[in-house]
Amino acid sequence: MEGQINCSDCTNKLCYIQQHCSPNWVSILSASKNQLWYKKGQYIFREGDRIFGLYFVERGKVKIISTGLNNKEQIVRLATTGHVIGHRGYGSETYPIGAVALEDTQVCFLDNEIIYDAFMNNPKFTIALMMFYSFELRKTEIRERHLAQMTIREKIADTLLYLKEIFGMNSADGSLSATLSRQEIADIAGTSAEQVIRELSDFESEKLIAKNGRKLLLLNVDGLFKIVAAHNRNRYSAAWHSIDSNSFPQN
Amino acid sequence: MEGQINCSDCTNKLCYIQQHCSPNWVSILSASKNQLWYKKGQYIFREGDRIFGLYFVERGKVKIISTGLNNKEQIVRLATTGHVIGHRGYGSETYPIGAVALEDTQVCFLDNEIIYDAFMNNPKFTIALMMFYSFELRKTEIRERHLAQMTIREKIADTLLYLKEIFGMNSADGSLSATLSRQEIADIAGTSAEQVIRELSDFESEKLIAKNGRKLLLLNVDGLFKIVAAHNRNRYSAAWHSIDSNSFPQN
DNA sequence: GTAAATTCCTGCGAAAACTCAGATTCTGTC
DNA sequence: GACAGAATCTGAGTTTTCGCAGGAATTTAC
């Protein structure tokens, strides 16, 4: 089941390796990489693990978590096809965060040594990775303000929009592609599951969303935007929630 | 007053350019850079400004802010000597954040074009920048959890420790090197100035700190650590609040 | 398809945090 | 050193958010 696909046969066109490494280095990394499959709920890495390399998400959905008091999880970031999780470590550094598959997920792992050689020989690859982290940093800084300043209602509306932007929704019925538990939505919004449930019920009675079991349908995306709009004057853009590698500089 | 110092005469040994570019490129960048001075309170760049390049902090203290509803500021990050603020932009991208000098500050500016050429020709420089952003991202992710899960008391204790780690304190009397207003402390902790004042009074009566006008003295750093320790089991380290460029890989 | 387990939902009392108003202290300037 | 303006401090009422408990619905396992 876990045959290693060669990069030349890979269908993921968002992969930084494919996009920014020389053909020669694509071959080298293709031979060096370790393709891994994770089932829903499995850890890709845990807080405290030694860092051995980088993970490139080829397919699937991942939550990046930081665990606090009483094992309360905070989901600090979501990742999907084309994203990078983990980071090159140094010394005996360990991950301060963990990564868990939200559905069946495939990643390519490259260890510290080979990735360092790839960086040294493929400047555009390194630049692309640098801009990825820089971009994620800016997004996280905006989220930092949102967590500090938004009301619960606003945080939950913001979370639904975040889920739509990163994982997408079915344009026919408006159903979100990712189905998270109420607790997981709370772990993104920074509140409790009860508050999420209450607010989702309010949104439903306001015809902003509909519930189909655990699955959520966004009936009125503009209405959700209006709830958070005052916090994003002049600068809110879907770009803050999505990756568009084609926007990266190619000059 | 604003004579351009040559990089070869610069005393900032934490500068990524000095550390990771070839001698030839240090000369090129030295000639291309624009040294800028900012007085306390001045903007280095504002939210909405076009992005023209990168700023390297040579000396001073800087707050990175994100402005929300009713112009309420969130300080998302603090920076000092050796840090990079801003980031390479693409297209007509604008800053979603602003940077303000907390005291008289000197920065070196390099525009997008020259920095791109430097990246293409100095792989170690690019890697160092990539790791800087990656490291800042991890720190911001931890802060994200803290903002979501800590009580006001804990957030304020955490903020005092953050100020100590990033800007330092006088080891003789324990006074923090940076003097921020109560409102600015609130803008870091994610609360109101009143709550900060109340909590600082509590800390004072508990002999954890002393107040000397606006200046704060940390009398019992361990005591402050104990307040936040439960949120940082197994992994809290001063490293999360400071930059040590010597830890970056040199191999 | 049925049962067990988990997740979801609702109400309510308690706790935490917020905001306003007014008094006091500090800071910078002349 | 005195003054004006700004920042800090304190109290009190209000609002928001939390967290438990119990019941309903949904999902999972067999």
Side-chain angles (χ1 to χ4, degrees), chain B residues 3 8 42 146 159 164:
Chain B
S8 57
Q42 277 192 321
H146 287 180
T159 299
K164 169 181 172 291

PDB file of all heavy atoms in Angstrom, chain B residues 3 8 42 146 159 164:
ATOM      1  N   GLY B   3      25.199  60.035   8.780  1.00  0.00           N
ATOM      2  CA  GLY B   3      26.203  59.464   7.889  1.00  0.00           C
ATOM      3  C   GLY B   3      26.043  57.961   7.815  1.00  0.00           C
ATOM      4  O   GLY B   3      25.771  57.308   8.825  1.00  0.00           O
ATOM      5  N   SER B   8      31.629  47.222   7.360  1.00  0.00           N
ATOM      6  CA  SER B   8      32.894  46.759   7.936  1.00  0.00           C
ATOM      7  C   SER B   8      33.216  47.491   9.238  1.00  0.00           C
ATOM      8  O   SER B   8      34.011  47.017  10.043  1.00  0.00           O
ATOM      9  CB  SER B   8      34.029  46.956   6.926  1.00  0.00           C
ATOM     10  OG  SER B   8      34.103  48.318   6.539  1.00  0.00           O
ATOM     11  N   GLN B  42       8.125  57.035  16.649  1.00  0.00           N
ATOM     12  CA  GLN B  42       7.998  57.152  15.195  1.00  0.00           C
ATOM     13  C   GLN B  42       7.698  55.809  14.542  1.00  0.00           C
ATOM     14  O   GLN B  42       8.203  54.774  14.946  1.00  0.00           O
ATOM     15  CB  GLN B  42       9.300  57.708  14.588  1.00  0.00           C
ATOM     16  CG  GLN B  42       9.418  59.210  14.639  1.00  0.00           C
ATOM     17  CD  GLN B  42      10.579  59.693  13.774  1.00  0.00           C
ATOM     18  OE1 GLN B  42      11.645  59.073  13.725  1.00  0.00           O
ATOM     19  NE2 GLN B  42      10.376  60.805  13.084  1.00  0.00           N
ATOM     20  N   HIS B 146      -1.278  31.045  24.508  1.00  0.00           N
ATOM     21  CA  HIS B 146      -1.308  31.791  25.760  1.00  0.00           C
ATOM     22  C   HIS B 146      -2.440  32.809  25.767  1.00  0.00           C
ATOM     23  O   HIS B 146      -3.162  32.944  26.762  1.00  0.00           O
ATOM     24  CB  HIS B 146       0.030  32.476  25.999  1.00  0.00           C
ATOM     25  CG  HIS B 146       1.117  31.524  26.391  1.00  0.00           C
ATOM     26  ND1 HIS B 146       2.393  31.921  26.662  1.00  0.00           N
ATOM     27  CD2 HIS B 146       1.108  30.185  26.577  1.00  0.00           C
ATOM     28  CE1 HIS B 146       3.131  30.869  26.990  1.00  0.00           C
ATOM     29  NE2 HIS B 146       2.372  29.803  26.928  1.00  0.00           N
ATOM     30  N   THR B 159       3.861  38.510  30.128  1.00  0.00           N
ATOM     31  CA  THR B 159       4.328  39.695  29.408  1.00  0.00           C
ATOM     32  C   THR B 159       5.565  40.291  30.075  1.00  0.00           C
ATOM     33  O   THR B 159       6.521  40.680  29.403  1.00  0.00           O
ATOM     34  CB  THR B 159       3.200  40.737  29.324  1.00  0.00           C
ATOM     35  OG1 THR B 159       2.099  40.175  28.609  1.00  0.00           O
ATOM     36  CG2 THR B 159       3.671  42.008  28.622  1.00  0.00           C
ATOM     37  N   LYS B 164      11.462  40.982  29.905  1.00  0.00           N
ATOM     38  CA  LYS B 164      12.782  40.697  30.468  1.00  0.00           C
ATOM     39  C   LYS B 164      13.634  39.942  29.457  1.00  0.00           C
ATOM     40  O   LYS B 164      14.799  40.277  29.233  1.00  0.00           O
ATOM     41  CB  LYS B 164      12.630  39.877  31.749  1.00  0.00           C
ATOM     42  CG  LYS B 164      13.947  39.300  32.272  1.00  0.00           C
ATOM     43  CD  LYS B 164      13.749  38.477  33.526  1.00  0.00           C
ATOM     44  CE  LYS B 164      15.018  37.760  33.927  1.00  0.00           C
ATOM     45  NZ  LYS B 164      15.398  36.683  32.989  1.00  0.00           N
TER      46      LYS B 164
END
